[in-house]
């Protein structure tokens, strides 16, 4: 995915739940809270226990604190999926 395409899609999906996949195979779930010309800022979503769950190959799923903001480079994005909840 081109950086310009990723930027347009992120702007379109702003403040909506998404799944982002990077070129390295990492998968992140959350809400896009901001996007600029270089980065997308994702507020991580959590499960019922307040734990954010994301996929980090080759290690598998990992957990972190809910409501953290993760910064991802637009050029590193492979796919952006809008989640319908």
């Amino acid at each position: 995915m081109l950086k310009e395409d990723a930027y347009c899609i992120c702007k379109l999906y702003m403040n909506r739940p998404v799944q982002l996949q990077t070129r390295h195979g990492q998968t992140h779930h959350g809400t896009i809270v901001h996007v600029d010309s270089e980065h997308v800022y994702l507020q991580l979503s959590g499960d019922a226990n307040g734990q954010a769950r994301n996929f980090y190959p080759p290690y598998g799923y990992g957990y972190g604190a809910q409501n953290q903001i993760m910064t991802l480079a637009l050029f590193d994005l492979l796919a952006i999926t809008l989640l319908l909840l």
Side-chain angles (χ1 to χ4, degrees):
M1 172 182 297
L2 296 175
K3 184 170 80 169
E4 294 80 15
D5 295 336
Y7 175 81
C8 290
I9 294 170
C10 287
K11 289 294 277 187
L12 183 65
Y13 292 168
M14 188 82 119
N15 299 314
R16 304 200 48 201
V18 295
Q19 173 180 298
L20 300 177
Q21 184 176 359
T22 68
R23 296 181 191 275
H24 304 291
Q26 297 176 335
T27 302
H28 305 285
H29 297 87
T31 301
I32 296 175
V33 294
H34 183 70
V35 62
D36 60 32
S37 61
E38 298 294 325
H39 300 94
V40 59
Y41 300 87
L42 186 72
Q43 182 174 8
L44 301 178
S45 59
D47 60 14
N49 298 323
Q51 293 286 313
R53 183 173 182 237
N54 293 296
F55 185 72
Y56 304 96
Y59 309 108
Y61 282 93
Y63 292 89
Q66 185 178 358
N67 296 328
Q68 288 183 331
I69 304 292
M70 175 177 279
T71 305
L72 298 166
L74 286 175
F75 72 84
D76 196 36
L77 295 181
L78 178 64
I80 303 169
T81 306
L82 180 63
L83 300 176
L84 302 175
L85 302 176

